[in-house]
């Protein structure tokens, strides 16, 4: 199959129909991270850096049962937090960050998760992407947290081409119709996770394929063609 070409930007008139199409089965999407409060979401997102949501969801129930709020988490400390998250990548640094952000939430914000970017990004382990997730999911703000899936879709589909994460974020904010911006964050993540996959995009079952600029689109039959010779069993 020919190598797909870099697509041209998606027409602005096609953006709303594309997003409507990929949202068909999930009109009110939510994060797949398990959480019960703004604090537990913040911790889960910090833990999810360079780790799958599924891996985080296996570790956090026991952690949150022991430390459901900043005071309990701060008391648990980095060593106690680490006990629960050793299965997660970068667990040592993340344990320190979660302990540190819990202390700062108590010291600066009365134990509450702040609803503004500057205060969130001042917390240990919280960068722009993490702040965007919390602002979107908890506070309903029209932010766009560009992870690997959204970065790929922004470029592959032509929705918001950009050489950097921030460039894709800014383009998505500028190009997506305002009423669709908040849910679009989750629509794109889930679409990239389950359909528009990194190595083998499943274009034949993509409801937004007719608006996507990715060419040539692989078919189900093409996807079944082996890409490597089978190993010699002898």
């Amino acid at each position: 199959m020919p190598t797909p070409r870099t697509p041209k930007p998606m027409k602005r008139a096609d953006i709303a129909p594309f997003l409507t199409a990929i949202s068909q089965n999930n009109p009110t999407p939510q994060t797949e991270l398990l959480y019960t409060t703004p604090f537990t979401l913040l911790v889960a997102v910090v833990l999810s850096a360079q780790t799958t949501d599924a891996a985080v969801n296996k570790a956090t129930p026991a952690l949150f049962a022991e430390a459901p709020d900043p005071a309990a988490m701060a008391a648990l400390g980095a060593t106690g937090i680490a006990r629960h998250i050793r299965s997660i990548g970068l667990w040592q640094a993340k344990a320190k960050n979660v302990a540190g952000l819990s202390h700062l939430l108590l010291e600066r914000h009365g134990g509450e998760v702040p609803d503004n970017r500057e205060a969130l990004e001042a917390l240990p382990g919280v960068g722009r992407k993490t702040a965007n997730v919390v602002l979107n999911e908890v506070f309903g703000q029209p932010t766009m947290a560009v992870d690997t899936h959204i970065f790929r879709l922004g470029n592959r589909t032509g929705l918001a081409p950009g050489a950097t994460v921030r460039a894709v974020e800014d383009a998505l904010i500028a190009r997506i119709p305002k009423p669709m911006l908040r849910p679009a964050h989750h629509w794109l993540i889930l679409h990239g996770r389950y359909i528009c996959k990194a190595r083998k995009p499943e274009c034949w079952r993509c409801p937004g394929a007719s608006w996507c600029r990715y060419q040539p689109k692989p078919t189900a039959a093409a996807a079944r063609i082996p890409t490597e010779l089978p190993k010699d069993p002898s």
Side-chain angles (χ1 to χ4, degrees):
M1 185 175 66
T3 301
R5 299 183 296 273
T6 302
K8 296 179 180 178
M10 186 183 293
K11 295 178 181 178
R12 279 186 178 269
D14 291 343
I15 292 175
F18 171 78
L19 292 172
T20 299
I22 69 171
S23 71
Q24 285 176 356
N25 297 322
N26 196 3
T28 55
Q30 294 179 314
T31 179
E32 292 189 323
L33 289 168
L34 300 178
Y35 75 98
T36 55
T37 65
F39 173 70
T40 55
L41 175 66
L42 174 61
V43 172
V45 179
V46 168
L47 296 179
S48 71
Q50 300 183 49
T51 306
T52 65
D53 288 1
V56 173
N57 288 341
K58 290 179 181 179
T60 52
L63 173 63
F64 294 153
E66 187 170 354
D69 54 50
M73 194 71 76
L76 196 57
T79 301
I81 295 167
R83 249 189 315 114
H84 294 284
I85 64 169
R86 290 178 185 273
S87 60
I88 296 175
L90 306 175
W91 61 270
Q92 292 164 306
K94 290 176 180 178
K96 292 178 181 177
N97 286 336
V98 171
L101 71 83
S102 299
H103 281 289
L104 285 185
L105 288 176
L106 293 169
E107 293 172 7
R108 299 179 182 178
H109 306 289
E112 300 295 325
V113 175
D115 63 356
N116 69 87
R117 180 185 304 283
E118 183 179 3
L120 283 169
E121 291 187 17
L123 300 172
V126 179
R128 185 176 182 86
K129 184 175 76 172
T130 297
N132 279 339
V133 173
V134 173
L135 293 172
N136 184 291
E137 181 77 11
V138 174
F139 299 108
Q141 297 185 23
T143 58
M144 184 61 64
V146 179
D147 67 352
T148 182
H149 298 299
I150 293 183
F151 183 79
R152 180 173 69 253
L153 262 68
N155 282 285
R156 176 183 281 168
T157 64
L159 181 62
T164 66
V165 167
R166 184 58 187 273
V168 170
E169 178 187 336
D170 290 345
L172 288 168
I173 296 289
R175 303 190 82 220
I176 291 176
K178 294 298 183 287
M180 306 182 83
L181 189 51
R182 185 190 177 217
H185 164 244
H186 290 305
W187 290 332
L188 293 171
I189 287 176
L190 297 173
H191 192 66
R193 186 172 289 166
Y194 297 113
I195 295 180
C196 195
K197 300 174 184 178
R199 295 187 63 186
K200 294 181 179 180
E202 299 179 2
C203 300
W204 61 90
R205 69 183 188 96
C206 173
S210 59
W211 295 280
C212 171
R213 302 302 298 269
Y214 184 68
Q215 293 295 337
K217 292 179 171 63
T219 64
R224 291 196 294 268
I225 297 174
T227 56
E228 297 180 359
L229 291 174
K231 293 182 179 179
D232 187 341
S234 61

